[in-house]
Amino acid sequence: MAQISSVFGLWNTSPTRHSAVEDLQGIFTGSLIAALGLYFLASAGLLTGSTAGVAFLLHYAFGINFGLAFFLLNLPFFYLSLKRLGPAFTVKTFIAIGVTSFLTDIQSRLFQIGTIQPAWAALLGGLLLGYGLLALYRHRASLGGVGILGIYLQERFGIRAGLVQLAIDMVVLVFAFGVTSPTVVAWSVLGAVVLNLFVAINHRADRYIAL
């Protein structure tokens, strides 16, 4: 019984390796929290960076389904993930993206936000996305796109993943001026800064080494 509990993560005695069940719960809860953060941003008409930001741009500009756009935009990054970060990371990231895309699409059917002040939505959305990404990173997964690139650069060159994401997110948000107002972009920038500073401060490979 003890062996079964150890294998499935109910009683994992290894301080440096996650069990399958621990990975599954980390990926699901990280994806759930990230999807909730995206819903807060969307409820205020805000955007974020990375592939999620591009998916928001496509959604606002052309009415393309956000979940579908988010999933498809991440597909090219799987080659980098597979070649540089390994099949386990790639599979877990694929699952995380699929779960997040699905949950983001069904959020409005489960509950609805009547009104929310944009600054509050930016703060909550950014923090929730940060918590979600942190959970995924600690289980060797990500939400694809820039997250994959950030993890690779951090592990290869020691550049903080959060800072890599922040730089690219700012570029994505510049393009937001073409589909929304400067005020919305400003609040979106706040959300992106909150998200990426949270990840940069809390995610360091030398502090968390579990696989």
Side-chain angles (χ1 to χ4, degrees):
M1 185 66 179
Q3 283 184 321
I4 294 176
S5 296
S6 178
V7 169
F8 286 98
L10 303 177
W11 184 257
N12 186 5
T13 58
S14 173
T16 60
R17 186 167 295 276
H18 290 123
S19 68
V21 168
E22 287 172 338
D23 278 340
L24 285 174
Q25 67 80 30
I27 291 170
F28 177 76
T29 55
S31 300
L32 176 62
I33 294 171
L36 185 60
L38 290 170
Y39 184 58
F40 270 102
L41 294 174
S43 296
L46 304 183
L47 304 98
T48 188
S50 190
T51 47
V54 178
F56 270 131
L57 289 175
L58 293 174
H59 173 69
Y60 292 144
F62 305 108
I64 298 173
N65 179 275
F66 171 84
L68 178 61
F70 179 61
F71 183 81
L72 293 178
L73 285 168
N74 277 294
L75 291 180
F77 289 93
F78 284 115
Y79 177 76
L80 173 64
S81 177
L82 189 61
K83 296 291 288 185
R84 300 297 183 181
L85 299 172
F89 181 91
T90 304
V91 169
K92 286 188 284 187
T93 295
F94 185 85
I95 294 171
I97 292 171
V99 172
T100 302
S101 299
F102 173 73
L103 291 175
T104 301
D105 273 348
I106 68 169
Q107 289 280 13
S108 60
R109 304 176 196 173
L110 303 177
F111 77 102
Q112 294 186 354
I113 299 174
T115 58
I116 184 169
Q117 209 277 335
W120 192 237
L123 177 62
L124 289 180
L127 283 175
L128 287 168
L129 270 170
Y131 273 104
L133 284 172
L134 189 63
L136 293 173
Y137 287 169
R138 290 188 170 183
H139 287 271
R140 294 287 296 167
S142 77
L143 285 180
V146 177
I148 292 174
L149 181 61
I151 289 291
Y152 169 69
L153 291 177
Q154 175 163 301
E155 296 189 354
R156 181 68 177 83
F157 301 105
I159 304 172
R160 294 284 186 89
L163 297 180
V164 173
Q165 270 197 196
L166 179 59
I168 297 176
D169 287 357
M170 293 302 102
V171 174
V172 172
L173 289 171
V174 166
F175 287 94
F177 284 104
V179 299
T180 189
S181 69
T183 302
V184 169
V185 175
W187 291 126
S188 300
V189 168
L190 172 62
V193 170
V194 169
L195 158 64
N196 289 293
L197 287 182
F198 178 85
V199 173
I201 292 169
N202 290 284
H203 180 62
R204 283 180 52 174
D206 56 343
R207 283 181 179 165
Y208 195 86
I209 59 174
L211 300 175

